[in-house]
Amino acid sequence: PCREKACTCAQDASLEEDSAPEAAQHAMGVEQQAWGQERAGAGQEADGAAALRGPSKKKKGAKVKAKKEVKAKNISLLDLKRAQNILIALAQFKGEDEQRLTQEQVKQAVLEMNMTLLNVDKIQSLQMMAPTDEEIKILRTYVKKQKGDVSKLGPADQFLLLLMDMPMLTDWLSALLFREEFNVRRAELDAKVKLAISAAMQVLGSEALRDFFALVLAVGNFINEGHMLGNCQGFTFESANLLSGMRMSNRKGTLLHYLIFVWKDKLPEKLEALFKELSDVKKVMAFSLEFLVAEVSEVSTACRQAQATLSALSKDLDSLREEDRPLVDIFISKMGQFMGQASKQVQDLGDKLLQMQGKHTELATYFAIEGAKFEAGAFYEQLVGFVRELETAKKDLDEDKTLIEPPADHSWFDPDIPKEDPATKKQADAP
């Protein structure tokens, strides 16, 4: 019995030893499975966090690279600043629905002279965008090498290519600009020329101004009697500006105050008439007469250039591309009707300008100024300054009558009679 019991114990021990490795392996398997589940859960949490953060740096880098590759497809043969200015200018071209016009629509608006889509500012922008000779050469060379494929060019380059296809682009735009701003500009210049003619005629026909200068001459000859400056036949206009600088003996008024006093006393109606007769002289000072002549000349030149463009397109109509001829016909028709009236108005404006210049020559003769030295703008400036001094002197005299009163110690005496000694006079007057 003891031996059987011992064998049974040995068998049990052997079974325990054989099952130990299997238990260990089972425990390790469970542990590994638990660790795998933990790692899987952590991985899912990491993926969720990454999704919240956005794409990884690698993905961002891939997108930036893709964008660079897209941008690299467009090339520009123009200067960077020049291309930017063209695109900025194109952005102002919008339709009636306030949507930006395509490049082809902008070109079509110019060819059709569609002034609902264009205006003076936009035409001037197109003149700025017009390709230069160098740019035309560069773009044509590129198109030739690419066999007409311009898809890789930037938008500014492609727009210049569209403008290059237009017949006589620069002259076309200049004529269009002349037509658009002519009426307003002609009316403005016509009004200025008429005002200048009126101002000159007022000065030449002012009796009050002539009478006042006659009074100045008479008083000046009286003051300078017996002197080499006396008995003058006239004086320069610049000398009239010295009247306000000559003080009277009372040290208060001036010679100009005295002249105003005499004139107001003898011919009061003439003084008031003077300020009314020269009303346009002040108005003409609002603009430059020299610049007015240049502006009229500029309009005349623009008119001749527009007429030359019209004649050139009419002459070369058969040599133009067939698709351009209908639009050129429209241009010739519209510009032809306009130029018929504009040419006559420009001629009339030129005739008035010659009349104005003739009146200025009369002014130079009237005031004894050499024609070559006479400047209408400077003359009117001096005349307006003189009239303002007259107005100021009249106002001063109205407010203070003592300006022309003689001083208390003033006395008239004959220079040939010796002065009496005050002490002797006092003794003779004593009782």
Side-chain angles (χ1 to χ4, degrees):
C2 294
R3 182 178 296 178
E4 290 178 358
K5 187 176 182 178
C7 288
T8 301
C9 291
Q11 289 177 355
D12 292 338
S14 175
L15 290 173
E16 289 179 1
E17 289 178 1
D18 292 340
S19 62
E22 294 179 0
Q25 288 178 359
H26 176 72
M28 290 180 62
V30 172
E31 185 179 358
Q32 288 176 355
Q33 183 177 3
W35 173 248
Q37 291 176 352
E38 290 179 2
R39 292 186 62 184
Q44 290 175 358
E45 292 179 0
D47 291 342
L52 293 175
R53 288 196 303 269
S56 63
K57 293 183 178 180
K58 291 183 178 180
K59 291 183 178 180
K60 286 184 179 180
K63 288 186 177 181
V64 172
K65 186 176 181 181
K67 287 183 179 179
K68 289 183 177 179
E69 288 177 357
V70 172
K71 289 183 178 180
K73 291 181 180 179
N74 292 331
I75 61 174
S76 179
L77 306 176
L78 304 176
D79 176 74
L80 179 60
K81 187 175 181 180
R82 164 79 163 153
Q84 289 176 343
N85 290 337
I86 291 174
L87 295 179
I88 292 172
L90 278 174
Q92 68 178 318
F93 288 86
K94 297 181 180 180
E96 297 179 356
D97 57 355
E98 293 301 317
Q99 296 295 320
R100 287 188 181 182
L101 299 179
T102 64
Q103 295 184 1
E104 188 63 39
Q105 287 174 331
V106 173
K107 175 187 174 182
Q108 200 69 15
V110 175
L111 290 172
E112 295 176 355
M113 303 173 68
N114 187 349
M115 300 315 299
T116 59
L117 300 178
L118 302 175
N119 55 34
V120 171
D121 293 336
K122 292 178 181 178
I123 296 172
Q124 290 175 340
S125 294
L126 287 168
Q127 288 180 321
M128 178 275 295
M129 288 187 280
T132 63
D133 293 339
E134 183 180 357
E135 290 171 344
I136 292 175
K137 183 178 178 181
I138 294 173
L139 289 170
R140 282 179 176 171
T141 302
Y142 174 83
V143 172
K144 185 177 180 180
K145 288 182 178 180
Q146 298 298 320
K147 298 180 180 181
D149 182 13
V150 296
S151 58
K152 293 183 180 180
L153 284 177
D157 302 63
Q158 293 186 14
F159 183 66
L160 291 194
L161 286 173
L162 283 177
L163 294 181
M164 286 166 52
D165 289 338
M166 291 181 58
M168 299 180 66
L169 171 64
T170 303
D171 296 330
W172 186 297
L173 291 174
S174 297
L176 193 58
L177 180 63
F178 171 73
R179 176 178 178 268
E180 183 64 14
E181 64 181 4
F182 174 74
N183 289 330
V184 174
R185 195 173 184 187
R186 184 205 62 80
E188 179 183 350
L189 294 177
D190 187 71
K192 288 181 178 180
V193 173
K194 286 181 179 179
L195 182 61
I197 293 173
S198 176
M201 294 179 66
Q202 284 183 355
V203 176
L204 293 169
S206 175
E207 294 183 2
L209 184 62
R210 182 170 60 249
D211 292 343
F212 183 77
F213 283 147
L215 176 62
V216 173
L217 182 62
V219 172
N221 282 333
F222 176 79
I223 294 175
N224 294 316
E225 184 179 2
H227 191 273
M228 61 179 296
L229 297 178
N231 197 28
C232 289
Q233 300 298 314
F235 59 91
T236 61
F237 179 64
E238 288 79 3
S239 301
N241 294 320
L242 302 176
L243 298 174
S244 60
M246 300 178 66
R247 288 286 178 182
M248 296 179 64
S249 58
N250 61 6
R251 301 297 178 184
K252 296 175 65 178
T254 65
L255 180 57
L256 187 60
H257 288 121
Y258 177 75
L259 291 169
I260 292 293
F261 168 77
V262 173
W263 208 24
K264 186 178 180 181
D265 182 57
K266 303 297 182 183
L267 300 169
E269 70 281 357
K270 291 288 186 180
L271 182 60
E272 296 299 328
L274 175 61
F275 302 132
K276 295 179 180 179
E277 291 175 354
L278 302 179
S279 58
D280 287 342
V281 175
K282 293 181 179 180
K283 296 177 183 178
V284 85
M285 292 300 299
F287 54 88
S288 169
L289 291 170
E290 287 75 15
F291 188 62
L292 175 61
V293 175
E295 281 188 298
V296 174
S297 177
E298 184 179 336
V299 170
S300 299
T301 301
C303 183
R304 290 194 299 270
Q305 291 176 346
Q307 187 64 53
T309 301
L310 186 62
S311 301
L313 286 171
S314 302
K315 183 179 179 181
D316 299 337
L317 185 60
D318 295 336
S319 62
L320 297 175
R321 295 182 305 180
E322 187 174 352
E323 59 268 24
D324 291 336
R325 291 177 187 175
L327 296 174
V328 174
D329 280 334
I330 295 175
F331 178 86
I332 293 174
S333 176
K334 290 184 177 180
M335 284 299 297
Q337 295 175 2
F338 164 75
M339 290 304 300
Q341 298 177 352
S343 298
K344 294 178 181 179
Q345 292 174 332
V346 170
Q347 181 63 43
D348 179 67
L349 185 61
D351 293 341
K352 290 177 181 176
L353 182 66
L354 290 176
Q355 184 183 356
M356 182 196 76
Q357 293 173 330
K359 291 299 179 183
H360 290 169
T361 302
E362 292 182 36
L363 281 175
T365 304
Y366 187 74
F367 286 92
I369 304 174
E370 294 183 23
K373 296 182 179 180
F374 182 79
E375 295 182 3
F379 168 78
Y380 283 127
E381 185 177 357
Q382 291 178 349
L383 182 59
V384 169
F386 177 70
V387 172
R388 284 174 179 166
E389 287 186 351
L390 292 180
E391 293 175 333
T392 302
K394 177 181 178 298
K395 183 179 178 181
D396 293 343
L397 200 59
D398 291 339
E399 296 175 353
D400 187 2
K401 304 293 185 181
T402 64
L403 289 174
I404 49 123
E405 289 183 357
D409 60 345
H410 180 79
S411 62
W412 296 96
F413 64 91
D414 189 334
D416 296 330
I417 300 176
K419 292 182 179 181
E420 186 177 3
D421 185 15
T424 305
K425 184 176 184 300
K426 187 176 181 180
Q427 293 176 1
D429 294 338

